[in-house]
Amino acid sequence: MKKTLLALLALIAAVSCTSGKFPALKNDGKTGIVAHRGFWQCAEAGNAHNSIASLSMACMEAFEGTEFDVNLTNDGRILVSHGPNVGGYNILDTDFETLAGCLLEDGSRRPSLEEYLDLASEYAGKTRLVLEVKPQPEPSVEDELLSQCVTLLKDRGMFSPSKVIFISFSQHVCEQIALMYPKFINQYLGGGIAPAELAAKGINGIDYHFSEFYAHPEWVEEAHNLGMSVNVWTVDGEEDMKNMFALGVDQITTNCPLLARELLGENEWKH
């Protein structure tokens, strides 16, 4: 009973501190589609994840978001790649040119963040970037990666909550974003943590694997009551999609965005 009371008091405190202060997705009760690593599962993108072509196709299809991953190389540049290894190389221990030369499925070079943003800026305001800051070995390296991302976004006029959402498996990264850039949607990916605990740290969104919401369906409503946004990854099956839509998630990250679009119909959120 005592533990239950303490948990309830913590939730009430979090609600009082955060409700109405966190930035909202303003989806009007609809669900936005986020293409996982771009819209790569099509001939035009050559089945290449995290490629310029997959970014282009996601933007041309006008999905709400397109997710991509960034890692820091040993010469201080940012590689768009899932990581932490590429072609047998550890990204953090390898220079950018070597890694970029490990070609993608469509025969293209792995892009730098600069190259990625150059194209994304052409679609700014239509398809929002969902930028995943990959965990690094040390908090100081994560700080450097985040700082460089922000600098490049600013340089290209992309540093705006209407153009970028941040996501990360690193609580440290999410806490830094909450501290320095509280107006941005900032979703924690790791799972296993109730929304109230994250809200108490200023983290204003969750982006959990769909299995987390099968185990804790109440977390969607709890997060919404706290003013938090809710994304779910990576949902490719029709039944799983339908179940997540029924829970009222704000966004769904998927490798099958056209299937999600078909199922959502008029309930798909677009900018």
Side-chain angles (χ1 to χ4, degrees):
M1 175 66 78
K2 185 176 180 181
K3 288 184 178 180
T4 301
L5 179 59
L6 289 174
L8 179 59
L9 290 173
L11 176 59
I12 292 172
V15 170
S16 65
C17 290
T18 62
S19 184
K21 295 183 179 180
F22 283 164
L25 277 170
K26 299 179 181 178
N27 285 14
D28 297 329
K30 298 182 178 183
T31 301
I33 297 170
V34 176
H36 184 230
R37 303 180 196 168
F39 182 25
W40 58 270
Q41 210 170 35
C42 59
E44 295 87 343
N47 297 311
H49 301 222
N50 276 320
S51 65
I52 294 295
S54 66
L55 167 64
S56 177
M57 290 306 300
C59 293
M60 290 177 66
E61 287 288 345
F63 297 121
E64 185 204 5
T66 181
E67 184 265 356
F68 67 107
D69 311 277
V70 295
N71 284 273
L72 197 63
T73 67
N74 79 338
D75 53 349
R77 295 189 64 186
I78 298 178
L79 182 76
V80 176
S81 183
H82 186 253
N85 299 300
V86 168
Y89 299 102
N90 180 277
I91 293 176
L92 194 59
D93 295 331
T94 309
D95 66 276
F96 176 84
E97 284 301 322
T98 298
L99 296 165
C102 297
L103 301 183
L104 293 164
E105 291 83 352
D106 64 348
S108 66
R109 284 164 53 91
R110 294 175 188 272
S112 65
L113 182 56
E114 296 98 316
E115 294 167 325
Y116 206 83
L117 294 180
D118 284 341
L119 175 61
S121 63
E122 297 178 18
Y123 297 89
K126 296 180 180 179
T127 295
R128 185 157 36 186
L129 295 179
V130 180
L131 194 166
E132 181 176 344
V133 182
K134 302 300 287 187
Q136 304 296 307
E138 300 290 338
S140 60
V141 183
E142 293 181 341
D143 292 344
E144 176 61 22
L145 175 56
L146 177 60
S147 176
Q148 285 203 37
C149 287
V150 169
T151 296
L152 292 173
L153 287 165
K154 288 180 176 179
D155 287 347
R156 284 156 177 78
M158 293 288 291
F159 191 64
S160 165
S162 66
K163 300 173 183 177
V164 180
I165 288 174
F166 292 101
I167 61 175
S168 185
F169 280 97
S170 166
Q171 280 195 64
H172 173 75
V173 167
C174 290
E175 288 171 11
Q176 291 301 105
I177 294 168
L179 178 65
M180 296 187 292
Y181 316 114
K183 293 184 179 180
F184 284 77
I185 299 292
N186 169 28
Q187 298 169 338
Y188 175 62
L189 286 163
I193 301 176
E197 185 175 339
L198 295 170
K201 298 179 179 180
I203 298 170
N204 60 42
I206 54 174
D207 185 358
Y208 285 173
H209 189 264
F210 62 88
S211 61
E212 294 280 342
F213 294 122
Y214 279 132
H216 298 283
E218 73 280 3
W219 280 358
V220 176
E221 183 177 4
E222 178 183 326
H224 284 158
N225 288 340
L226 289 161
M228 303 172 75
S229 64
V230 179
N231 194 350
V232 56
W233 61 271
T234 298
V235 192
D236 295 338
E238 182 172 334
E239 282 304 306
D240 291 325
M241 285 185 182
K242 289 178 178 178
N243 290 334
M244 293 301 108
F245 298 154
L247 285 177
V249 297
D250 301 302
Q251 297 169 312
I252 181 169
T253 297
T254 176
N255 291 309
C256 305
L258 293 181
L259 173 60
R261 172 164 285 171
E262 178 184 346
L263 295 175
L264 279 169
E266 295 182 354
N267 289 317
E268 179 188 354
W269 169 254
K270 296 181 181 180
H271 290 287

